[in-house]
């Protein structure tokens, strides 16, 4: 793989549907709606997984874990992230840091921020200081503003071992 340092970015969106919690960063967060998905709809972990794959030009999670495969129906996205990070390790790289932004009006995420960062750090086996997490509203504009869904983006820097 060319480059001692590589960068990746990922983005994911899931629509709301009837439910009483959303899964973000592997945590069940109470909400007045759920997220529609073949998996658990964890936009945070999907964006992060795509960023890690993108850093090594390894495609995207849709290719690695197709939503046509029943093996991934309702799957805990922490399992997918762990598999992706194993691939990163097999290529001889480790995470420098990740920076994640979640866009939604609701649920409010500030009180869950540290727990979400720690959850990701635990999956990857890294320090919580390597995982940045921010939440923003979109000022009631667009699909996130209309509370039709949640969007997450992630950027990662990885280093050759
Ligand atoms: Mg997704």
């Amino acid at each position: 793989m060319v480059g001692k340092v590589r960068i990746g970015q990922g983005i994911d969106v899931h629509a709301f549907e009837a439910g009483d919690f959303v899964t973000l960063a592997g945590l069940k967060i109470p909400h007045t709606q759920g997220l529609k998905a073949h998996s658990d709809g964890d936009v945070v972990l999907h964006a992060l997984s795509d960023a890690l794959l993108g850093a090594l030009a390894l495609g995207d999670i849709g290719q690695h874990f197709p939503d046509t495969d029943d093996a991934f129906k309702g799957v805990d996205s922490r399992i997918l992230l762990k598999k992706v990070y194993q691939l990163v390790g097999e290529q001889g790289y480790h995470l420098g840091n990740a920076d994640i932004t979640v866009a939604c009006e609701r649920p409010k995420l500030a009180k869950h921020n540290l727990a979400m960062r720690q959850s990701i750090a635990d999956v990857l086996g890294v320090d919580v200081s390597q995982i940045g997490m921010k939440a923003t509203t979109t000022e009631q504009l667009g699909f996130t503003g209309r509370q039709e869904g949640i969007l997450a983006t992630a950027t990662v820097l990885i280093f050759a071992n």
Side-chain angles (χ1 to χ4, degrees), residues 73-152:
K73 195 168 165 51
V75 71
D76 182 336
S77 295
R78 287 176 293 192
I79 294 169
L80 307 185
L81 175 62
K82 198 160 204 160
K83 286 186 176 179
V84 165
Y85 197 50
Q86 274 168 4
L87 286 177
V88 171
E90 285 165 14
Q91 297 282 328
Y93 286 80
H94 65 275
L95 182 72
N97 72 299
D99 187 23
I100 296 160
T101 301
V102 184
C104 62
E105 301 290 328
R106 299 272 188 283
K108 293 296 183 194
L109 296 174
K111 67 179 176 188
H112 303 290
N113 188 286
L114 180 58
M116 289 196 290
R117 291 172 58 211
Q118 188 65 61
S119 172
I120 293 168
D122 289 348
V123 173
L124 299 179
V126 302
D127 192 82
V128 71
S129 66
Q130 291 169 265
I131 310 296
M133 170 86 68
K134 308 175 304 296
T136 184
T137 71
T138 54
E139 298 291 341
Q140 297 171 32
L141 296 172
F143 71 88
T144 51
R146 292 188 297 271
Q147 301 189 44
E148 293 168 3
I150 297 184
L151 176 148

Side-chain angles (χ1 to χ4, degrees), residues 12-14 46 61:
D12 194 41
V13 170
H14 280 277
H46 295 176
I61 55 170

Side-chain angles (χ1 to χ4, degrees), residues 6-8 12 18 21 29 39 42 44 54 72 77 86 115 123 134 142 146 149 156 160:
R6 294 180 66 106
I7 191 167
D12 194 41
F21 70 90
I29 294 174
S39 67
D42 194 325
V44 169
F72 304 119
S77 295
Q86 274 168 4
V123 173
K134 308 175 304 296
R146 292 188 297 271
V156 299

Side-chain angles (χ1 to χ4, degrees), residues 38 61-70 72:
H38 183 73
I61 55 170
Q63 290 170 245
H64 289 265
F65 313 110
D67 62 8
T68 49
D69 187 337
D70 277 348
F72 304 119

